[in-house]
Amino acid sequence: MSRIRHSFSQLESEGRSAFIAYVMAGDPDPETSFELLRGLPEAGVDIIELGFPFTDPMADGPIIQLAGQRSLAAGTTLAGVLDMVARFREDNDKTPVVLMGYYNPISSYGVEAFLRDAPTSGVDGLIVVDLPPEEDDELCLPAMSAGIDFIRLATPTTDDRRLPQVLRNTSGFIYYVSITGITGAAAASPADIAPDVARIKSATDLPVCVGFGIRTPDVATEVARIADGAVVGSAIVQRLGQGQAPANVLGFINRLAEGVRNA
């Protein structure tokens, strides 16, 4: 059983939703980033989304764009991100790690080489925001053959005609983007999210997790009551961009995790 599937199975047995945290690898520098990464499970994170930087992050707002720029300025490469995951795995073989980013760095690395190195490093899943289902042969199907879950995004504009294509060949979980637009652009509204989450859950047995626009423990609690998981990214990354120490950021993450656990 994959780490992602095992995590959701265990959470289901505990009667609670997943708390998923996104951080950008290498932001603001490799060692600070690794210190934060290593502290996420103890802070209450069930699944880690680890961003890898790209120069043209079209789906991301200014907060994560700036994180990517800081990471690139610090010399972060995709190979370095895989090394970070391997280092994390030296002490943690349980918490799932999902890489989230864009196809270009993977293509530049070489798909075959990446799908050889990523599982060896301890990567469990991929979210590649600019590869639609029509391009499944490019990375999705080879990744799944390599034992890596390929996690697809659904959005408020994913209607009933499009949804089957989004769900096809998806594994791990479905990531429902709660708002239209870029990351960090608006606050999520649980009342607006609920009907779409229910619609997607009626069409798949996979867990449905909600991200984009979750900024506070209270909203995390409300989303966790609706979905199988709540994802927080920009609110965490913003604190790193403000220069907060990893310990302070982990304290905020712990409050978010408690919000999910209180659902």
Side-chain angles (χ1 to χ4, degrees):
M1 184 182 293
S2 72
R3 288 190 191 93
I4 293 175
R5 184 177 175 187
H6 181 268
S7 180
F8 278 109
S9 178
Q10 184 170 345
L11 289 166
E12 184 178 9
S13 71
E14 296 172 6
R16 66 180 184 89
S17 296
F19 174 52
I20 305 173
Y22 170 97
V23 293
M24 175 67 73
D27 174 38
D29 60 74
E31 284 308 308
T32 302
S33 178
F34 182 72
E35 181 181 351
L36 183 66
L37 175 66
R38 186 172 55 185
L40 292 176
E42 188 174 347
V45 175
D46 299 302
I47 298 173
I48 297 168
E49 281 185 14
L50 187 61
F52 54 95
F54 178 47
T55 53
D56 186 22
M58 65 186 75
D60 292 312
I63 291 170
I64 292 181
Q65 285 186 25
L66 288 170
Q69 291 173 17
R70 292 191 297 268
S71 177
L72 290 169
T76 304
T77 63
L78 186 53
V81 175
L82 296 181
D83 287 344
M84 181 181 292
V85 176
R87 188 179 169 196
F88 173 79
R89 287 284 176 234
E90 292 175 5
D91 298 315
N92 185 310
D93 194 44
K94 178 182 177 182
T95 306
V97 175
V98 175
L99 296 190
M100 184 171 187
Y102 298 82
Y103 181 55
N104 184 276
I106 296 173
S107 178
S108 297
Y109 191 101
V111 170
E112 185 175 343
F114 176 77
L115 293 180
R116 178 194 66 225
D117 295 343
T120 302
S121 299
V123 171
D124 301 293
L126 286 174
I127 301 173
V128 183
V129 299
D130 55 346
L131 275 184
E134 289 77 12
E135 305 294 335
D136 274 357
D137 290 339
E138 194 75 30
L139 181 62
C140 171
L141 296 179
M144 292 172 69
S145 295
I148 297 177
D149 285 319
F150 200 87
I151 296 152
R152 192 84 67 188
L153 301 176
T155 74
T157 60
T158 304
D159 60 22
D160 288 338
R161 290 182 300 173
R162 180 64 173 170
L163 185 59
Q165 293 176 282
V166 171
L167 297 177
R168 188 185 68 236
N169 299 326
T170 300
S171 60
F173 62 91
I174 303 296
Y175 188 132
Y176 179 68
V177 177
S178 66
I179 60 172
T180 56
I182 55 177
T183 57
S189 169
D192 293 338
I193 294 166
D196 272 335
V197 170
R199 179 171 62 90
I200 296 168
K201 285 177 70 66
S202 70
T204 182
D205 293 330
L206 290 172
V208 178
C209 301
V210 174
F212 285 48
I214 303 173
R215 298 174 177 173
T216 68
D218 288 344
V219 175
T221 300
E222 293 183 64
V223 170
R225 289 172 178 159
I226 295 166
D228 300 300
V231 188
V232 181
S234 293
I236 295 169
V237 173
Q238 184 176 36
R239 282 161 171 77
L240 281 169
Q242 293 168 343
Q244 293 189 23
N248 290 343
V249 178
L250 289 168
F252 172 66
I253 290 169
N254 184 248
R255 292 192 293 276
L256 292 164
E258 286 300 316
V260 172
R261 281 171 169 75
N262 289 335

